[in-house]
Each structure stands twice: as C-alpha cells, then as structure tokens.
Amino acid sequence: PAPAYARVSRLDWSSTGDSHHERTCQFTFDGIDAFTNQPRRELQPELFFSHTDSRIKTYLREREYMTCHGYLTSIAGGFRYLTLTFRIASRTAQREYGGIRNGGLLNLKLLDGSTISLFSQGGSQLKVDPKTNDIIYKARYPIDYQKEKLISRSEIDQVRVVWATGYEDYEVYNIDFFMNQLVCLNGN
C-alpha cells in the first residue's frame, strides 16, 4: 500500500519513532553566494505533502501520485523564498497540469483560519525523470516579512496550488513546516 503520512507537528515527532524528523537544522548551503557575494542559507528539502486520488491508488501500488517537497532559502537583505518540487507519477502530467505560471498563486490555509497568498517567481521549471518518466516541476515563491511573521506563528492546514490548467487543494502533512524551517533560517 501507499505510505500513510500522519499529520504531525514538531511536538509530535518523537511519538512517531521517526528520528529523521528530530529538529536539527540541515542546510544544503550556508555560505557566501557566488553570484551575489552575499550570505545565503538554504535548508534541506522536506516532505510538504503528498496526494493520490483513491481511484488510482491500486494502479500505483506503493507509489504516491504526487509528492511535494519544499525548503526555504534566505538571502542577505531579508529575502526569503519557498521552493517547492512537485513529482508527479504520470507521463501526461504536463497536459494535466501545464506547470505553474509566473505569478501563479499558492494559497496557504493556516490552522488558525487565516489564508496567505504567495506568488511564483519566474514560473515552474519542468524536468522528466528518465528512470521513472515522472514529471517534476520546481517553483519558487518569495515570502515578504509580513507573511513570514504570519506563517511562523501557525501550522499549515491546506495548500491550494494554481496550475496553468486550474487549481487543486491538498492537505498538508508537515503542518509546522514553515515554523521549523524559519527557526533554522533565523538561527534560533
């Protein structure tokens, strides 16, 4: 069967026995950016959500139809970015979703009931995994200071991704994703 992900917060990780999610800050880059010559920090990607429609679960066996991993980046001057990588187990995903356009909307619904809107910068990059034929989209969303304050205080409930062909809502499993990643970026 497909992996079952429980919706958990950082406070619940110890009860899952999953030591991978113990809160240690893992950076893929923590130094001076070669292009800007400014400090840049980039965190290790984490699972943000996954989604498989119940009507196709049997066809995919132990795979998820869509997985979305994300990470935050900080660049000197207060710039913050969310990078999302969507892996879709379908050769027709490009026709089904069409990617994410420049300025494409990402709505974050928080557990406190508020909604935050982020807009993609530059649209999504498309890649095909040659081994699995999965379609991989990568999109980047700037986060301003006001939105950073909001997402650092409440867990995420759902996310709405606006694709070129329409939108879909997904339940988030890593509900304190932003809270944890921002603690790491801010050095706390």
Side-chain angles (χ1 to χ4, degrees):
Y5 298 104
R7 293 185 69 180
V8 293
S9 138
R10 175 175 43 160
L11 300 174
D12 297 325
W13 285 122
S14 61
S15 66
T16 67
D18 186 354
S19 61
H20 170 73
H21 288 95
E22 304 253 333
R23 187 49 30 206
T24 57
C25 299
Q26 295 183 349
F27 292 90
T28 57
F29 187 89
D30 190 4
I32 301 298
D33 183 85
F35 183 75
T36 64
N37 206 29
Q38 297 292 318
R40 175 172 61 104
R41 301 179 96 192
E42 194 165 278
L43 286 157
Q44 181 78 27
E46 295 181 35
L47 180 66
F48 191 43
F49 69 84
S50 64
H51 172 75
T52 303
D53 189 294
S54 59
R55 296 172 292 188
I56 62 170
K57 277 188 188 261
T58 56
Y59 300 109
L60 292 174
R61 294 185 177 87
E62 295 187 21
R63 294 186 68 204
E64 292 282 343
Y65 178 71
M66 178 188 294
T67 57
C68 178
H69 286 80
Y71 62 89
L72 294 182
T73 302
S74 70
I75 300 174
F79 298 102
R80 301 275 195 265
Y81 297 94
L82 166 65
T83 301
L84 295 179
T85 303
F86 302 88
R87 177 178 280 270
I88 306 168
S90 170
R91 286 183 227 136
T92 62
Q94 192 172 5
R95 184 175 64 238
E96 295 167 18
Y97 295 96
I100 296 170
R101 294 187 175 130
N102 184 34
L105 177 65
L106 178 76
N107 269 336
L108 305 171
K109 184 178 178 190
L110 306 180
L111 284 176
D112 69 7
S114 61
T115 302
I116 296 170
S117 298
L118 303 177
F119 299 92
S120 70
Q121 181 181 53
S124 60
Q125 302 166 9
L126 170 69
K127 196 166 90 174
V128 178
D129 184 319
K131 292 181 183 176
T132 63
N133 287 322
D134 290 355
I135 300 293
I136 302 167
Y137 289 109
K138 190 172 190 175
R140 186 174 173 175
Y141 299 87
I143 302 171
D144 67 34
Y145 178 71
Q146 293 299 327
K147 291 175 183 172
E148 178 184 337
K149 281 186 2 184
L150 293 171
I151 59 177
S152 69
R153 293 188 200 142
S154 182
E155 291 91 354
I156 308 268
D157 183 27
Q158 293 181 326
V159 62
R160 173 172 285 174
V161 179
V162 177
W163 300 96
T165 59
Y167 70 88
E168 285 195 9
D169 296 336
Y170 306 100
E171 187 174 20
V172 173
Y173 297 102
N174 191 354
I175 62 175
D176 60 354
F177 171 85
F178 287 105
M179 297 166 78
N180 290 338
Q181 293 233 336
L182 285 167
V183 164
C184 289
L185 278 186
N186 295 327
N188 298 331

